[in-house]
Amino acid sequence: MDLGLKGKVALVTGASSGIGRESARTLAAEGVNLMLVARSADKLESEAAAIVRDYGVEAASFACDLTEPDAAARAVAATLARFERIDVAVCSAGASGNGVFWEIPDSVWEASFNLKFMGTLRTMRAVLAPMRARKSGRI
């Protein structure tokens, strides 16, 4: 499928596994250059190398913990330093604990909320300024 994305730049959070990883690979197949973001530097570097090899696009990685208040801004800054723009942001970071609903402690729910909701909110805030400046972009 040709979505007209060849040569665009995407920042993908949660890119080391699951939905984030598959989103990154789908975008790479469309010719999109990627900044892969997740906690595990080793997994990200391996995935970036595989994407470059398999799809022939540029792929870089930025390891950070999106529960940290400034992490999304640092990831966006690294993306802009590497690619000079961000056309697409895919916010898919979302690891969480599992177990029986009534037995999961509040601390696990709070950590999950901090990553999924606050991490997404902070990523969206951080990409909006460069997207608005270019009058283009999608989240």
Side-chain angles (χ1 to χ4, degrees):
M1 171 177 3
D2 182 4
L3 298 175
L5 297 174
K6 185 176 176 115
K8 301 283 186 183
V9 174
L11 177 148
V12 180
T13 68
S16 64
S17 64
I19 293 169
R21 179 180 179 269
E22 294 309 313
S23 295
R25 288 180 160 268
T26 299
L27 289 167
E30 291 288 327
V32 175
N33 298 313
L34 299 163
M35 176 61 80
L36 307 178
V37 178
R39 293 180 208 190
S40 171
D42 292 341
K43 283 184 178 180
L44 285 176
E45 289 169 12
S46 175
E47 187 59 29
I51 285 173
V52 169
R53 180 191 69 234
D54 295 346
Y55 300 100
V57 298
E58 294 182 53
S61 62
F62 186 81
C64 66
D65 181 348
L66 289 172
T67 65
E68 296 172 2
D70 68 336
R74 289 186 290 115
V76 167
T79 307
L80 294 172
R82 174 72 168 79
F83 295 105
E84 299 180 348
R85 68 180 211 256
I86 300 172
D87 300 297
V88 177
V90 177
C91 303
S92 60
S96 53
N98 53 27
V100 178
F101 173 78
W102 59 86
E103 293 176 355
I104 298 171
D106 286 355
S107 61
V108 172
W109 289 109
E110 290 164 355
S112 181
F113 181 83
N114 196 26
L115 174 60
K116 292 176 186 155
F117 181 79
M118 294 306 296
T120 296
L121 176 75
R122 291 174 183 138
T123 301
M124 290 170 49
R125 274 191 204 146
V127 299
L128 277 174
M131 286 180 173
R132 290 183 70 194
R134 292 185 68 238
K135 297 183 180 352
S136 179
R138 300 291 183 264
I139 300 172

